[in-house]
Amino acid sequence: MDTITAKLDPRTRVGWLLLGFALGGFFDGIVLHQILQWHHLLSGLADPAGSDLRFQIMADGLFHLFMYVFAVAGTVLLVAARAAGGRAGTTTEILRLAFTGFGLWHLVDAIVFHWLLGLHRIKMNSDMPLAWDIAWLVIFGIVPLLLVLVLPNRGRPARGASAALTSIVLLAGLTTGAGPLFNGATTSVIVFRAGMQPDAMMRAVQAADTDLKWVDASGTIWAVDRVSWRGLMTLHARGALVVGTTPVIAGCLAWTDAAGASSRSGQQ
């Protein structure tokens, strides 16, 4: 049988769907949670959880980790299918499956998380949250699914498309932590151990040779001027759990601005 007309291995289909789904989640997390800061994953919860910045950041981190699990699972399935001799798929087939997964994420997000569970809305402080929900769903959910229907059929095997798309998805996950390096973040956010006394935290900040900007309501999250590498080591030695300065480790914390600490996680 001709290799182009052979059916795709089911593992290949599911693998690309999972990668597209994960990319949709990473896209929302990076753009909405971190760059625009319109909401956190659990911004719709009632207080005290809704206004607990430490809890909201942790939930966002777990969300990104969950998306990374989807991405890794999809990659494993693709590798397994290729090892078994399965056809890699054409560029059109790969893009259709990835666009389907990307669009499905936004359908699930809107229907389940926005409307059924009420965990958050696209723009929490809007007077018309439903309008923002629908606009985001149409642009990033419906349009990708429509593209699946109109993509031209190309029978040639993909050359580099699979590696490129897989790399984009995995790098998107890393970007959730490394992002502050690209936008010139000037604030480092420190999460201290629970139970530390305020004077001990202040001494740690002073020893790191940086200046305080704000402290959240829990008293354990401190925003300071961007710290040096020496200051980073000093803070960890004096009780800091994570410092939002370096990529991957806690970089997503450095996206957080003072408004996120003083309002209900982006709500007005």
Side-chain angles (χ1 to χ4, degrees):
M1 180 183 293
D2 185 86
T3 57
I4 299 303
T5 59
K7 289 185 178 180
L8 282 177
D9 188 301
R11 289 169 294 187
T12 300
R13 294 183 182 277
V14 175
W16 285 120
L17 283 171
L18 287 177
L19 284 175
F21 192 85
L23 184 58
F26 284 140
F27 175 80
D28 277 10
I30 294 167
V31 174
L32 294 172
H33 298 185
Q34 297 176 333
I35 296 177
L36 297 176
Q37 297 188 33
W38 285 354
H39 68 255
H40 292 289
L41 177 67
L42 302 179
S43 289
L45 296 185
D47 288 338
S51 58
D52 187 340
L53 181 60
R54 184 188 182 99
F55 174 77
Q56 294 291 342
I57 290 174
M58 180 192 70
D60 285 349
L62 291 174
F63 166 72
H64 291 136
L65 178 62
F66 194 56
M67 289 299 107
Y68 222 101
V69 170
F70 276 112
V72 171
T75 303
V76 169
L77 287 174
L78 292 174
V79 171
R82 289 295 289 160
R87 182 166 66 84
T90 65
T91 299
T92 299
E93 289 171 328
I94 290 172
L95 289 177
R96 280 177 173 164
L97 290 166
F99 276 135
T100 298
F102 189 90
L104 285 176
W105 157 255
H106 287 91
L107 283 175
V108 170
D109 186 39
I111 295 172
V112 178
F113 297 150
H114 297 177
W115 302 332
L116 293 181
L117 299 180
L119 297 183
H120 61 260
R121 308 298 288 268
I122 290 296
K123 196 166 176 37
M124 292 295 297
N125 62 352
S126 171
D127 293 331
M128 298 185 297
L130 182 61
W132 284 97
D133 288 350
I134 293 175
W136 196 269
L137 174 61
V138 169
I139 296 171
F140 297 109
I142 304 302
V143 170
L145 293 176
L146 292 177
L147 286 175
V148 172
L149 302 177
V150 301
L151 280 174
N153 290 310
R154 299 194 183 279
R156 285 180 281 180
R159 300 196 181 279
S162 58
L165 187 54
T166 303
S167 298
I168 288 171
V169 175
L170 296 178
L171 286 173
L174 295 178
T175 302
T176 63
L181 295 180
F182 301 111
N183 80 333
T186 59
T187 298
S188 295
V189 180
I190 309 164
V191 180
F192 286 104
R193 291 196 312 263
M196 279 189 67
Q197 295 300 314
D199 58 341
M201 299 179 201
M202 179 58 75
R203 286 196 298 271
V205 169
Q206 291 172 341
D209 194 25
T210 185
D211 295 321
L212 178 66
K213 289 189 172 182
W214 51 261
V215 181
D216 88 315
S218 73
T220 59
I221 301 179
W222 291 44
V224 299
D225 287 334
R226 191 173 177 88
V227 299
S228 64
W229 286 103
R230 185 194 66 80
L232 178 69
M233 292 186 287
T234 300
L235 287 167
H236 282 295
R238 289 175 172 259
L241 295 177
V242 289
V243 181
T245 296
T246 53
V248 182
I249 298 174
C252 60
L253 290 175
W255 291 93
T256 304
D257 61 19
S262 58
S263 64
R264 185 184 165 190
S265 302
Q267 296 184 67
Q268 301 295 325

